[in-house]
Amino acid sequence: EVVMTQSPATLSVSPGERATLSCRASQSITSNLAWYQQKPGRAPRLLIYGASTRATGIPARFSGSGSGTEFTLTISSLQSEDFAAYYCHQYNKWPRTFGQGTKVEIK
Amino acid sequence: QLQLQESGPGLVKPSETLSLSCTVSGGSVSSTSHFWGWIRQPPGKGLEWIGSLYYSGSTYYNPSLKSRVNISVDTSKNQFSLKLTSVTAADTAVYYCARDLVSWGQGTLVTVSS
């Protein structure tokens, strides 16, 4: 199975600053990668699919990049509502797999 | 607007079968353009994909659960269902249903305990 590894586990950022989250796949998944945001007690929300395409209604401050095995989610200027957990997910191969998550917390 | 809603017992005894349903509104489980899936999240932990089903009949399961899991569809009720047999405390989690892993239900907590 494709193992997804996210780093860091926790990211402490001040509001207004830039946040960069990484996700690495154990083998090439081309661009079949999605990013989700999850707040406590809520279902995950799709942010990015196809490694770089924002889902409907997602603000432009969220951007995704990468292909193959290395991927990045960038939040250009953190807003209060962006403090949450973020998961990457590969849908290139079965079984589908998720990264272990990155928690973005207020510095 | 597509909506998904999980339902089922919130408490299951060890060794018994966990059964959940996902009712779909604003869309049809008969659609051949989408796949329907289940994902779970143990308390305080990350997301685990359980399995996915295409209406055409193809199903895909997490190898770690494959011997215990079954996902099926009921077109008469516009629902799809999850059955997980021989549960243990390790199966305690919030269970989510989703379409294409894009649209998600709100999730339902299932606790395995005697």
Side-chain angles (χ1 to χ4, degrees):
Chain A
E1 76 178 42
V2 181
V3 178
M4 305 301 291
T5 304
Q6 291 185 242
S7 61
T10 304
L11 187 61
S12 297
V13 185
S14 298
E17 289 189 340
R18 182 185 190 95
T20 302
L21 289 67
S22 296
C23 177
R24 174 177 293 178
S26 61
Q27 60 185 271
S28 177
I29 57 171
T30 65
S31 295
N32 292 322
L33 181 104
W35 289 95
Y36 294 87
Q37 177 193 68
Q38 188 181 32
K39 296 180 180 179
R42 303 290 298 272
R45 177 176 71 145
L46 178 68
L47 298 175
I48 301 284
Y49 63 93
S52 61
T53 302
R54 279 190 301 277
T56 302
I58 301 304
R61 64 181 182 272
F62 291 93
S63 63
S65 63
S67 66
T69 62
E70 300 285 342
F71 301 89
T72 301
L73 174 69
T74 302
I75 311 171
S76 60
S77 176
L78 271 159
Q79 307 297 302
S80 57
E81 62 266 29
D82 301 334
F83 292 96
Y86 292 83
Y87 295 92
C88 62
H89 163 66
Q90 71 81 19
Y91 53 94
N92 189 61
K93 294 189 175 181
W94 304 102
R96 304 305 196 218
T97 48
F98 290 90
Q100 79 279 22
T102 291
K103 181 180 179 181
V104 177
E105 64 177 26
I106 300 174
K107 187 175 182 179
Chain B
Q1 183 180 352
L2 182 72
Q3 290 188 321
L4 298 93
Q5 178 68 56
E6 304 89 351
S7 60
L11 181 64
V12 181
K13 290 182 168 55
S15 79
E16 295 189 346
T17 296
L18 180 159
S19 296
L20 295 174
S21 295
C22 181
T23 300
V24 178
S25 56
S28 173
V29 294
S30 303
S31 169
T32 56
S33 302
H34 302 287
F35 63 87
W36 308 92
W38 290 92
I39 306 94
R40 69 181 183 179
Q41 185 171 37
K45 296 188 178 181
L47 300 167
E48 180 182 31
W49 174 77
I50 298 171
S52 297
L53 170 147
Y54 285 89
Y55 181 70
S56 61
S58 299
T59 51
Y60 301 86
Y61 298 126
N62 189 319
S64 68
L65 301 170
K66 187 174 183 178
S67 64
R68 299 194 290 130
V69 69
N70 180 263
I71 298 174
S72 60
V73 66
D74 184 340
T75 56
S76 67
K77 297 180 180 178
N78 211 33
Q79 292 179 340
F80 62 102
S81 299
L82 169 70
K83 290 189 185 302
L84 184 65
T85 62
S86 305
V87 297
T88 69
D91 295 309
T92 293
V94 174
Y95 286 76
Y96 296 99
C97 62
R99 189 185 80 173
D100 298 331
L101 270 65
V102 173
S103 302
W104 295 57
Q106 65 185 22
T108 187
L109 175 63
V110 179
T111 301
V112 178
S113 175
S114 55

